[in-house]
Amino acid sequence: MNKLTGLTILKKTNFTQIHSLNHKYSLILLFLTFFLTNTSILAAEKNFPVGRNKISLYYPENWQHAFNFLNTPLTLFGPVLNERRAVISINNTDIQNFSFDKKELQDNENSYKKGRLKWLKKNKGKVVRFTGYRVSKWKNVPEVHSIGYSYTIKNDLFLEKSYFFNCNNELFNISTLMTWEQNKEHGKTLKKILTSLKCLK
């Protein structure tokens, strides 16, 4: 996402628009079966540059990462399961000191749902559940805004979620995508990765 596009989208604080930009990459990433370089030998905290910032994450054994894959600054790939991989896409936006308007973001839920239902209809899928707009906190990030949903396509159940937060006064977006089977196998690990995120000075 370039600076101009990110600024336009996030000034509107429209989850539907942000989601559509990431979605075309997310499904491609989910079905990847190739093995990337830079495999971690042991699970540990690892530092990664993301734009002008640097973050620290819990980096498990058998997970892999790539920089600038499909224009995403940092992508983490889970182990292959049934010829697929869970994906965590981490994006910075170059938008400084973003102020979250909770009411406006909540009002965008209906637009988000309409956009996802339209996409599912086009791809012959069915919605299972919308998680809705939420505000939570991670260990090192005091305010995390998220929205997501689950859906089926053919015989597969997918779980998709987007997170938004400020990192050293810059707005970040993280998108996760996995199947139900991957969630049962790697869901706790994925959550541990996300909640371990730390913005380094």
Side-chain angles (χ1 to χ4, degrees), residues 124-143:
K124 299 180 180 179
K126 293 182 179 180
V127 68
V128 175
R129 178 174 178 263
F130 284 97
T131 57
Y133 170 71
R134 295 179 181 176
V135 182
S136 59
K137 64 182 296 184
W138 294 340
K139 181 179 179 181
N140 302 298
V141 183
E143 187 175 338

Side-chain angles (χ1 to χ4, degrees), residues 50-192:
V50 181
R52 292 174 294 181
N53 277 302
K54 183 179 288 187
I55 63 173
S56 173
L57 285 172
Y58 171 72
Y59 190 58
E61 184 179 3
N62 298 327
W63 282 66
Q64 298 171 307
H65 71 273
F67 294 109
N68 302 315
F69 185 76
L70 296 178
N71 296 319
T72 299
L74 175 63
T75 305
L76 305 182
F77 303 88
V80 176
L81 179 64
N82 296 329
E83 300 183 344
R84 295 173 179 161
R85 310 184 76 163
V87 175
I88 302 174
S89 302
I90 304 175
N91 296 275
N92 64 309
T93 66
D94 290 332
I95 296 175
Q96 302 295 311
N97 301 311
F98 185 78
S99 179
F100 289 96
D101 185 329
K102 296 181 179 65
K103 185 179 185 305
E104 186 175 356
L105 294 174
Q106 287 173 329
D107 290 343
N108 275 322
E109 278 192 61
N110 288 334
S111 296
Y112 172 82
K113 290 178 180 179
K114 288 179 181 178
R116 295 305 92 220
L117 291 172
K118 182 178 180 181
W119 182 88
L120 284 173
K121 183 177 180 181
K122 181 179 178 181
N123 290 276
K124 299 180 180 179
K126 293 182 179 180
V127 68
V128 175
R129 178 174 178 263
F130 284 97
T131 57
Y133 170 71
R134 295 179 181 176
V135 182
S136 59
K137 64 182 296 184
W138 294 340
K139 181 179 179 181
N140 302 298
V141 183
E143 187 175 338
V144 181
H145 299 252
S146 63
I147 194 167
Y149 77 130
S150 55
Y151 57 92
T152 57
I153 294 181
K154 294 184 178 179
N155 296 321
D156 294 312
L157 173 61
F158 297 93
L159 310 176
E160 193 170 323
K161 198 161 187 178
S162 293
Y163 303 85
F164 305 88
F165 57 93
N166 284 310
C167 180
N168 291 332
N169 298 319
E170 180 179 6
L171 184 65
F172 270 54
N173 163 230
I174 293 181
S175 298
T176 63
L177 180 66
M178 56 186 161
T179 63
W180 178 248
E181 289 75 18
Q182 288 169 331
N183 179 59
K184 290 190 292 184
E185 186 75 19
H186 307 300
K188 290 182 179 179
T189 299
L190 186 145
K191 182 177 181 180
K192 186 174 181 179

